[in-house]
């Protein structure tokens, strides 16, 4: 990955690594005869030493998220900051999910760069029943814990069984004038996802 100072701000919005394929990370042929559990362990061990966000998503969960993303490709999530919250807009582009700070979109429009990209790899989905995910982030803007908090909200809003929670995604996409920003914060606080982050940030104040 390029160092932050050499990242052209425009190019970030198209992905930090151009065409970041699964085969550039994992030898797909070699894992063909491994079980889903073994592949999961390989993926987790590979990324455990790296400063990034990663996950292994069960097929059923990914199918739910993916189907919903087709009809509602954008969403808003909230990141706890020391003073209140910062909003990020998520935009699905194929199996990549790009997150950009709302303030950047408001000031720069379509040229706003992404601060976080989640890469989903469904190559092993049918055969092994799992989807592999990893991420790249602009570390001048987000640390790993913050990126993880944003990534967790994809499951919270797109992968939920609660109709009301996914209803916020639908409202944002289909009836934006009815959308209330505070409802995202309320949902996040109710889920407890941002609590740990808030706690760490408060400790940092000293």
């Amino acid at each position: 990955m390029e160092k932050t100072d050499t990242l052209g701000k425009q190019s970030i919005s198209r992905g930090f690594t151009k065409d970041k394929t699964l085969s550039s990370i994992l030898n797909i042929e070699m894992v063909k005869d491994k079980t889903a559990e073994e592949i999961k362990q390989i993926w987790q061990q590979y990324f455990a030493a790296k400063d990034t966000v990663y996950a292994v998503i069960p097929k059923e969960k990914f199918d739910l998220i993916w189907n919903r993303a087709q009809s509602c490709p954008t969403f808003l999530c909230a990141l706890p900051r020391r003073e209140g919250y910062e909003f990020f807009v998520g935009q699905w582009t194929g199996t990549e999910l790009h997150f950009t700070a709302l303030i950047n979109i408001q000031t720069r429009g379509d040229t706003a760069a992404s601060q976080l990209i989640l890469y989903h790899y469904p190559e092993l989905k049918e055969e092994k029943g799992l989807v592999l995910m990893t991420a790249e982030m602009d570390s001048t803007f987000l640390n790993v814990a913050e990126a993880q908090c944003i990534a967790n909200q994809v499951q919270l809003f797109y992968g939920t069984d609660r109709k009301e929670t996914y209803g916020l995604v639908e409202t944002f996409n289909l009836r934006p004038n009815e959308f209330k920003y505070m409802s995202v914060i309320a949902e996040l606080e109710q889920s407890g996802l941002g609590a740990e982050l808030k706690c760490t940030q408060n400790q940092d104040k000293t």
Side-chain angles (χ1 to χ4, degrees), residues 15 67 103 105 121 141-142:
N67 288 334
I103 191 150
I105 293 174
Y121 298 111
F141 214 93
L142 292 169

Side-chain angles (χ1 to χ4, degrees), residues 29-99:
E29 283 311 307
M30 277 185 69
V31 300
K32 281 272 161 72
D33 57 350
K34 301 215 178 293
T35 65
E37 192 50 45
E38 287 171 325
I39 294 170
K40 184 177 177 179
Q41 285 174 351
I42 291 168
W43 192 254
Q44 288 171 336
Q45 282 165 358
Y46 177 78
F47 284 106
K50 296 180 167 37
D51 248 3
T52 191
V53 172
Y54 57 93
V56 178
I57 306 166
K59 175 186 184 303
E60 297 71 28
K61 181 67 78 179
F62 183 78
D63 283 344
L64 176 65
I65 292 170
W66 180 247
N67 288 334
R68 288 172 164 178
Q70 302 316 297
S71 51
C72 295
T74 60
F75 189 55
L76 188 84
C77 63
L79 180 67
R81 293 291 201 189
R82 275 187 194 173
E83 310 299 329
Y85 286 85
E86 182 174 14
F87 289 107
F88 282 78
V89 175
Q91 170 83 48
W92 286 88
T93 308
T95 52
E96 291 180 10
L97 181 50
H98 294 235
F99 285 97

Side-chain angles (χ1 to χ4, degrees), residues 11 167-168:
S11 65
L168 296 176

